[in-house]
Amino acid sequence: MSSSSTISSSLLESAAALDITLDLRILESRPKCEGASLAAKLLEAAEEKTKLAITLYTDSSAALAADGVDIVLLGADRISAEGDVSNKTGSLPTILSARHVAPDVKIVILSETEKIAGPGSASEHVVEDNDPLEVTAAWDAAGVRGQAAIESSLRSGSGTKRVTVKNIYFEWVPARLIDAYVTEQGLWSSKDIARRSQWIGREMDRFFKDL
């Protein structure tokens, strides 16, 4: 669901090392379509002999894409002390769909340990709502009827807006839905995440507490 270099390089290395065809189902990830960018990156970087079978799906097709999958692989923008993962919006419904369609699926987070936050819950992290016009811009090609009326309302400075378009980039996936965290230091559990978070907290206190 994102154009993560960590994800793309890991997939390419896996495809090169394994003598099987990797069946990759990638959601396009609107509004900026990072999933489509990831697919392009894989195609451009893959060697001729690399065995990849890539299928792109719309975000709303997550359940269809999950049929028969073994792993849902996600990156992480942030990992809380409790092991909850902030990733591209759409990650949570993708996981829930996959759990329903493919009950044996494993949910794997691929991330550097530097993404782990200090002590505190996921609710303490700020949720960013971004420019709604990034969402409506995609409607041009689709020829959405009445688009001008919606965009006019969004730009209204009168305080009487009757429509809101949300453009939240990231959402939280609870740790209870995650099976494993793969880091540059190997396979980690939520307990490993908690220990690293506590260490970060101690280091922050050591350097900044008395400032």
Side-chain angles (χ1 to χ4, degrees):
M1 298 192 67
S2 69
S3 189
S4 163
S5 57
T6 302
I7 294 283
S8 60
S9 60
S10 296
L11 288 173
L12 289 171
E13 288 178 15
S14 297
L18 300 172
D19 190 25
I20 59 173
T21 299
L22 286 186
D23 178 8
L24 305 178
R25 291 96 178 273
I26 302 175
L27 302 183
E28 63 176 350
S29 191
R30 295 198 177 210
K32 292 192 171 182
C33 298
E34 292 99 325
S37 297
L38 172 62
K41 185 186 297 185
L42 291 170
L43 290 173
E44 291 168 354
E47 297 179 2
E48 188 67 31
K49 62 182 179 181
T50 303
K51 298 178 180 179
L52 294 176
I54 300 172
T55 306
L56 278 164
Y57 289 83
T58 60
D59 295 344
S60 57
S61 302
L64 296 175
D67 185 28
V69 299
D70 299 304
I71 295 172
V72 172
L73 184 64
L74 298 175
D77 181 70
R78 198 77 167 156
I79 303 176
S80 77
E82 298 168 343
D84 302 323
V85 171
S86 174
N87 194 52
K88 189 72 171 62
T89 297
S91 297
L92 181 56
T94 296
I95 289 173
L96 295 175
S97 296
R99 291 276 193 201
H100 176 72
V101 175
D104 294 329
V105 69
K106 299 300 181 184
I107 311 302
V108 177
I109 303 300
L110 183 62
S111 174
E112 300 92 344
T113 54
E114 68 180 20
K115 298 295 182 70
I116 299 171
S121 67
S123 61
E124 297 176 23
H125 296 269
V126 176
V127 175
E128 297 181 12
D129 196 357
N130 300 281
D131 186 357
L133 296 180
E134 289 181 349
V135 176
T136 62
W139 300 350
D140 289 332
V144 174
R145 295 180 62 184
Q147 177 180 347
I150 293 176
E151 291 184 342
S152 176
S153 178
L154 291 174
R155 294 189 178 98
S156 173
S158 64
T160 58
K161 293 180 182 178
R162 294 193 294 176
V163 63
T164 300
V165 175
K166 305 296 285 185
N167 184 21
I168 298 171
Y169 286 171
F170 300 103
E171 67 182 354
W172 286 95
V173 175
R176 67 178 182 275
L177 297 178
I178 297 168
D179 294 297
Y181 306 82
V182 178
T183 76
E184 76 279 8
Q185 297 187 26
L187 190 63
W188 279 28
S189 67
S190 57
K191 291 181 179 179
D192 296 315
I193 300 291
R195 280 193 289 268
R196 174 53 65 94
S197 178
Q198 291 166 4
W199 175 82
I200 292 171
R202 290 194 297 270
E203 290 297 289
M204 290 175 65
D205 285 345
R206 185 162 69 93
F207 285 102
F208 304 115
K209 187 175 182 179
D210 296 327
L211 294 181

